[in-house]
Amino acid sequence: MISAVIFDLDGLILDSETPEYLAWKAVYEQYGLEFPLVSWLQNIGRNDSPFDPLGPFRREGSPRSPEAIRALWVEHHALLERDFFSPLPGVVRLLEGLRSLGLRVAVASSSRISRVRGLLTELALEAAFDVLAGGDEVARAKPAPDVYLLAAQRLGVAPGACVALEDSENGVRAAKAAGMRCIAVPSALTRGLDFTAADLIVGSLAEVTPDTIAALGDRAHA
């Protein structure tokens, strides 16, 4: 039986990933460079940044220092992020449905716990979750299972009784490594990634209901 649902944050509850990408794209274009989306996607869902977007500006002969480029990115990002700052479709309705059935809910994010708490507070959603777990509270980033295991521990629920909701390949791999069932909700940026490890793939959280969650539990015991 499913007794808890664990949400990713970035790209699932809030589209914070698109403005980050668009800001880097704008900075690169300013210097006649093409921003490599395929490389950037390696970072989605993790906090250890295997791809360094400042790499071209660390080389000898760079037109600007990495620090100046980072500051420029911050300016672009600040202009873009407010246009995306609202819960994604289906988030609030699903949370209400899960809580009405007495299911426990959590967030397991690669972001710092202070950022997770701050964003959810700004979205007026922090009170909707029983517990939060952040990437800076565990030893290993997604796709390792650590942050999902921490969320389950704080919920007091066995990992096998949890369903995770994820928008990234790294997140799906983390949830499955934790022994959870997982619904993949690819975003516009992550749609081309490999989600075959997920138990279910949907186009939007608006397609997910408490019945969808329960069906995953029933399928596991069929």
Side-chain angles (χ1 to χ4, degrees), residues 99-145:
R99 297 310 295 259
S100 71
L101 295 179
L103 291 173
R104 306 267 286 162
V105 290
V107 169
S109 172
S110 293
S111 293
R112 301 180 310 278
I113 190 63
S114 60
R115 179 176 180 273
V116 173
R117 194 169 284 118
L119 288 176
L120 292 176
T121 298
E122 286 190 63
L123 292 168
L125 288 178
E126 185 178 7
F129 294 95
D130 295 296
V131 303
L132 308 175
D136 59 336
E137 298 185 291
V138 293
R140 298 178 298 168
K142 297 177 184 178

Side-chain angles (χ1 to χ4, degrees), residues 9-12 14-28 35 37 40 44 70 72-86 88 115 119 167 187-189:
L9 173 60
D10 295 290
L12 185 92
L14 170 74
D15 185 5
S16 55
E17 294 167 351
T18 299
E20 289 181 353
Y21 164 68
L22 291 177
W24 279 120
K25 188 170 183 288
V27 169
Y28 269 52
F35 188 66
L37 176 58
W40 174 248
I44 300 293
R70 177 71 185 181
L72 185 59
W73 177 86
V74 169
E75 291 178 16
H76 281 287
H77 185 255
L79 293 173
L80 290 163
E81 66 174 340
R82 302 315 300 184
D83 292 336
F84 294 86
F85 201 84
S86 61
L88 284 166
R115 179 176 180 273
L119 288 176
D167 77 301
S187 68
L189 283 181

